[in-house]
Amino acid sequence: MIESARGYEQEAPELLERYERMSFEEGHGPSIVALIPPPRISVLDIGAGTGRDAAWFARRGDAVTAIEPTRAMREGAMKLHPEPNIIWIDDGLPDLASVRGRTFDLVWMSAVWMHFDAAERARMMPTIAALIAPAGALMMSLRHGPVPEGRRMFEVSADETTALAAAEGLACVRADHVESHYAPGVFWDRLWFSR
């Protein structure tokens, strides 16, 4: 197990049920959903969790590569979402060795970035940027607030993330700061970057 995924293996049964209660649209908001290109695009979902987002794209007809390092989450997601156009891969940041050399129309990172410290994030942004096709996009959501017990999370800001992305030729075209309706004291930054 990679260090950034600490806590998820043990909590997988509960998380697979809880995370699936919220729809894709509720989870990401209308302003982000409106930026998603029409189908059929190639999507890389890094830290795919329960597979809810991967399945949303797959149902549109998109070709989805879903990366999830936590075995219990990945196997549970595959049972919940058996769509044939999702390829599930046991991999994770910082290396993403399984997809090096490939590019995608959309790289999707929901609730992943805060699992890494500032030095790790700086090292990883070039790896992520290299996965984005020439006319592609990157969506990142950043969690702020109390850290659940047993998890590895760090403070992260939209400004820092935008600066790291800009250094790789990615422009932030949408930034939303929203309060969670499901977890008191938790806020999210939803960021959309285009090359």
Side-chain angles (χ1 to χ4, degrees), residues 35 46 57 88 115-116 144 147-148 160 168:
L35 292 170
I46 299 173
F57 286 108
W88 285 93
H115 290 302
F116 299 90
H144 310 282
V147 177
E160 174 208 273
E168 301 302 322

Side-chain angles (χ1 to χ4, degrees), residues 20 45 51-60 64 80-81 83 86 88:
E20 290 286 320
D45 187 356
R52 179 200 66 191
D53 295 358
W56 186 89
F57 286 108
R59 287 191 294 268
R60 296 185 341 143
V64 183
L80 284 172
H81 303 291
E83 283 80 358
I86 303 176
W88 285 93

Side-chain angles (χ1 to χ4, degrees), residues 80-99:
L80 284 172
H81 303 291
E83 283 80 358
N85 48 331
I86 303 176
I87 297 170
W88 285 93
I89 299 177
D90 176 7
D91 197 356
L93 287 164
D95 295 327
L96 294 176
S98 63
V99 290

